Amino acid sequence: MTVSRPPAAPTEARPEAPRGVLRLKLLFAAGSAVFVATMALLPVYVTGDASDYLAMQQALAHHGTPDLRPEDLASGSGLLLAVGFEAHRRATFGGDPGTLHAFPARSGAVYCSHFWLYPLLTLPARSLLVVLGGSELASFQMTNAALMCVALYAVLFLWRAPGVRRLGFAGLAAAGPALLYLRWMSPEV
């Protein structure tokens, strides 16, 4: 006796992206990789709250928590000194967390007044730079460039607006004022 199976339910075929779109995505990914890598080679621009973000990055890298400890301040100070930012280092990393925008908690731990997510996002670039022997300070501008590329990818490939509108918006964003802030060690981008 043969058992007949009911006919299979039709499955919705997922539309495949045209080859041209896949090529554009690969080209965009390659260009983004070159752009982010180039940011590692540019001189570091230390300004504003850079010391706060650097101290939090060092804390997260050293012990996985955002509380600022003396070794975090010492390593941040050394990084700034190594690239010639003596005045900024002296003004903000005098070894006293009070020179940063930092405040003690009831537990005695010292925390920066800024949010820790941005320094956390810089850790992959920092790790790569440590392995390759680059300046850890460049991790901030590399992260800013990577975040800009993610935003441009979303506009170009995920937004469902007409192509002309997507290109126009991406062009304005890429050539606009945000480009001036990519080298800052803070999340102004």
Side-chain angles (χ1 to χ4, degrees):
M1 170 183 215
T2 54
V3 177
S4 65
R5 295 184 181 184
T11 57
E12 279 189 38
R14 188 173 181 190
E16 291 188 31
R19 286 184 184 223
V21 173
L22 291 176
R23 286 185 187 140
L24 284 174
K25 287 181 178 181
L26 287 173
L27 184 62
F28 182 85
S32 296
V34 169
F35 180 56
V36 171
T38 301
M39 293 304 275
L41 304 174
L42 295 175
V44 177
Y45 187 61
V46 179
T47 187
D49 297 330
S51 321
D52 297 348
Y53 291 108
L54 177 60
M56 283 191 292
Q57 181 199 56
Q58 295 303 302
L60 290 165
H62 293 157
H63 44 83
T65 64
D67 62 297
L68 305 177
R69 299 177 187 172
E71 63 265 23
D72 307 326
L73 300 177
S75 67
S77 176
L79 288 171
L80 289 174
L81 190 59
V83 293
F85 287 104
E86 172 59 26
H88 196 79
R89 182 202 66 83
R90 205 173 330 109
T92 56
F93 278 108
D96 173 18
T99 58
L100 298 169
H101 296 107
F103 305 94
R106 288 183 195 167
S107 65
V110 177
Y111 294 96
C112 190
S113 63
H114 294 286
F115 189 52
W116 51 264
L117 181 61
Y118 176 66
L120 181 68
L121 291 174
T122 67
L123 291 180
R126 178 190 181 275
S127 298
L128 180 65
L129 288 166
V130 166
V131 168
L132 297 176
S135 171
E136 295 173 40
L137 297 177
S139 62
F140 293 93
Q141 55 199 35
M142 286 177 69
T143 300
N144 288 344
L147 292 172
M148 178 73 139
C149 290
V150 168
L152 290 173
Y153 179 88
V155 168
L156 290 171
F157 299 108
L158 302 178
W159 190 21
R160 297 192 183 265
V164 172
R165 182 176 283 172
R166 286 183 288 154
L167 285 173
F169 189 81
L172 288 173
L179 196 59
L180 300 173
Y181 295 101
L182 287 178
R183 290 184 42 216
W184 284 32
M185 291 176 58
S186 50
E188 273 73 15
V189 177

